[in-house]
Amino acid sequence: MKLQSIYILASAVLLMAFASCKKDLIKTNTDPNSVSVDAFDANNILTATQLYYTGSTDNAIEVEETEIQGAGCMIQHWASTSTYFFGDKYIGAPTSGGWGSFFDHTYTSTIKNAVNLYTITTGKPQYKNLHQIARIIKAMAFERITDVYGDVPYFQAGQAYNKGIYFPKYDKQKDIYADLLKEVEQATDSLDANADKPTGDLFYSQAGDQIGEWKKFGHTLLLRMAMRLTKVDPTTAKTYVTKLQGLTMTSNDDNAIVAHGTNDPLTINRIYRGIGEDGGIQLSGQISKTFIDFLKNNNDPRLPVLSYVYPPDFSPGDDPGGGSSDPADQNGLPNGYDAGNTSHGIQSYLGPPPYLGNINLYSRPSPIIFNATAPTLILTYAESEFLLADAAKRWGIGNTEEHYNNGVRAAMEQLAVFGNAGVISDNDIKTYLSAHPYDDSKGPEMINTQFWACTFFNEYEAWANYRRTGFPVLKAVTYTGSQSPGAIPRRMYYSSVDKQVNTTNYNAAAAAMGGDKIISRMWWDVQ
């Protein structure tokens, strides 16, 4: 009995020692700087998601490639003699990185963060508004990616960590849009002025009525999504527009804007990071002749704000001072030419005007709007007014001319966000509107050409609205080796990476669209 007591006492001592060691081991192996799940502030993910929407931290490579070198050239805001700008001449094999770069980087940055934010705020009262904002941002991000590619992973996307779904199936764009409309409408209606005020909100945290601004944002985004259906389902589009009357943005004070800093690559302006800080690329990209001619021919006061001729001896990293913003000096580069002296070479371009003899003499984006700290405009009052003008013209909902004039004015006034050099005087705006009064017989073209003008630098949206409306009227380029000769592409090739790792689902999606082709029309872009 005495021996048994000794064994019990010894065991107790060992257990106590083991427990003590275990506590010490846990303490030793716990990161003192870590944050538990319960203590983590989900608002931090909101900040990251909003930043990622402007471009990834991978040197904003998808902004450089898919948006500027691709969509920006297709929509003839940009032009280049370099083959890097594949959208200028519709070149590059389906496996070329630029076509699928946006797909690769968006799913691993914006989508991943948006889905995560949505998931971890679900059912938590302290995040009531943050959860609804997560739904809105998630929908906005998915709208952009489906507008670029068509059928894409949606319902299973971003679920690798939460549900172990590593190979998501591609969903029909029709089903995606139905869910996007439902999500944004429900989320916007669920925002509560008496609930949480999300911190770290890059869009509206400084607004006097943060939740009120998000309601306007949600309604404006819903307007944009609904108007995307004007060709394929005008009844649904009209129904939404009718419900949204008086609920969308009412001034430039409502614009959703991301400010940028120089803490590269985390906060720098993503277009500047992708194009402006890459020496060879910066010198390769010019503004399209189509866009410059539109501004010049209409005496548009935005011309000296948006365009600039750099000094002939300019090198990346130099001070661009010494160049010219004089409208008379601006010349756009024609799309569809290479650097040679062939029939498709810029050296043989006869104009008017004929080749200027030096590529540096062609206009580039002005330093006013093209710099490391320039803000990114996410969704604006001007866009909203042009969409409402379009709807008014189609269905008589509201005053078309009033919305058109509001849009033109707002598009010019919004440039003040770039500083004093971006301010366009009230007198100049009035002069422009007086010289270009709304003409109802040309309504759709005038409205959507102005939409194109106000979305310079928002190339995905400019391209989507062009495919929806057919405006502005653009002349497609023809070029040897083009993947879409004589026709502006209607979508982009899927990611070649996803083709390799998610082969079964990729093949099913490509087959459903009649092949992974850039001439294929997506669901809302019917003939």
Side-chain angles (χ1 to χ4, degrees), residues 16 45 98 188 231 256 289 300 326 347 364 451 454 496 516 520:
M16 291 174 65
I45 303 181
T188 304
K231 288 198 294 187
K289 176 176 171 60
D300 196 308
D326 188 331
Q347 295 179 39
R364 293 192 175 94
F451 187 101
C454 91
S496 59
D516 186 6
S520 297

Side-chain angles (χ1 to χ4, degrees), residues 251-253 255 257 259 301-302 304-306 367-369 371 373-377 380 382 408-426 429 454:
S251 76
N252 280 334
D253 291 338
N255 290 348
I257 299 171
R302 287 172 288 193
V305 176
L306 301 179
I368 297 170
I369 63 170
N371 61 74
T373 61
T376 297
L377 280 68
T380 69
V408 172
R409 172 173 288 278
M412 294 184 179
E413 291 181 339
Q414 73 184 19
L415 296 177
V417 74
F418 295 101
N420 291 336
V423 174
I424 295 175
S425 72
D426 183 66
I429 296 173
C454 91

Side-chain angles (χ1 to χ4, degrees), residues 163-199:
K163 296 184 178 180
I165 300 175
Y166 302 104
F167 307 106
K169 72 180 185 69
Y170 288 55
D171 296 293
K172 296 291 186 183
Q173 188 177 61
K174 179 180 181 179
D175 298 332
I176 294 172
Y177 255 91
D179 199 65
L180 294 179
L181 291 166
K182 180 264 294 181
E183 282 291 287
V184 175
E185 183 173 30
Q186 288 184 358
T188 304
D189 290 345
S190 298
L191 289 168
D192 184 354
N194 297 314
D196 57 302
K197 307 295 190 294
T199 59

Side-chain angles (χ1 to χ4, degrees), residues 8-201:
I8 293 173
L9 179 62
S11 297
V13 171
L14 287 171
L15 286 171
M16 291 174 65
F18 175 76
S20 178
C21 289
K22 183 177 180 182
K23 290 178 181 178
D24 291 340
L25 185 65
I26 292 172
K27 182 177 180 181
T28 301
N29 287 279
T30 299
D31 181 359
N33 297 315
S34 67
V35 180
S36 70
V37 173
D38 292 335
F40 179 75
D41 186 354
N43 287 282
N44 295 325
I45 303 181
L46 172 62
T47 307
T49 306
Q50 290 174 319
L51 268 175
Y52 276 128
Y53 185 78
T54 71
S56 74
T57 54
D58 183 15
N59 296 326
I61 188 66
E62 81 286 1
V63 176
E64 172 187 324
E65 294 183 337
T66 316
E67 182 168 17
I68 303 302
Q69 296 174 2
C73 287
M74 293 173 190
I75 202 62
Q76 295 179 19
H77 278 156
W78 291 74
S80 178
T81 58
S82 167
T83 55
Y84 284 117
F85 287 71
F86 63 94
D88 182 75
K89 293 169 273 292
Y90 326 144
I91 56 176
T95 54
S96 299
W99 295 103
S101 185
F102 180 64
F103 188 107
D104 295 333
H105 287 81
T106 296
Y107 276 108
T108 57
S109 59
T110 314
I111 298 300
K112 181 179 72 173
N113 279 274
V115 172
N116 188 29
L117 181 61
Y118 169 86
T119 302
I120 66 175
T121 56
T122 300
K124 296 182 178 179
Q126 70 270 34
Y127 293 137
K128 181 179 180 180
N129 283 328
L130 182 58
H131 179 66
Q132 306 309 329
I133 289 171
R135 294 173 75 183
I136 293 170
I137 292 179
K138 180 166 72 75
M140 179 175 68
F142 272 113
E143 181 199 27
R144 176 178 280 186
I145 201 166
T146 188
D147 285 349
V148 173
Y149 298 104
D151 297 351
V152 294
Y154 176 68
F155 292 103
Q156 295 181 344
Q159 301 289 351
Y161 177 78
N162 296 310
K163 296 184 178 180
I165 300 175
Y166 302 104
F167 307 106
K169 72 180 185 69
Y170 288 55
D171 296 293
K172 296 291 186 183
Q173 188 177 61
K174 179 180 181 179
D175 298 332
I176 294 172
Y177 255 91
D179 199 65
L180 294 179
L181 291 166
K182 180 264 294 181
E183 282 291 287
V184 175
E185 183 173 30
Q186 288 184 358
T188 304
D189 290 345
S190 298
L191 289 168
D192 184 354
N194 297 314
D196 57 302
K197 307 295 190 294
T199 59
D201 174 10

Side-chain angles (χ1 to χ4, degrees), residues 292-331:
I292 292 293
D293 284 356
F294 169 79
L295 297 174
K296 288 184 73 171
N297 294 341
N298 290 289
N299 294 316
D300 196 308
R302 287 172 288 193
L303 180 60
V305 176
L306 301 179
S307 63
Y308 188 78
V309 178
Y310 281 62
D313 58 350
F314 175 81
S315 295
D318 289 351
D319 183 343
S324 174
S325 60
D326 188 331
D329 293 333
Q330 306 310 310
N331 283 285

Side-chain angles (χ1 to χ4, degrees), residues 373-388:
T373 61
T376 297
L377 280 68
I378 305 296
L379 184 62
T380 69
Y381 168 58
E383 294 173 61
S384 176
E385 286 299 297
F386 289 132
L387 290 170
L388 289 171

Side-chain angles (χ1 to χ4, degrees), residues 393-441:
K393 172 60 179 172
R394 291 173 186 272
W395 304 306
I397 305 173
N399 187 306
T400 308
E401 182 176 3
E402 182 179 347
H403 284 305
Y404 172 83
N405 289 337
N406 288 342
V408 172
R409 172 173 288 278
M412 294 184 179
E413 291 181 339
Q414 73 184 19
L415 296 177
V417 74
F418 295 101
N420 291 336
V423 174
I424 295 175
S425 72
D426 183 66
N427 185 62
D428 284 346
I429 296 173
K430 289 179 178 178
T431 298
Y432 183 86
L433 286 170
S434 177
H436 305 88
Y438 175 72
D439 181 349
D440 197 58
S441 67

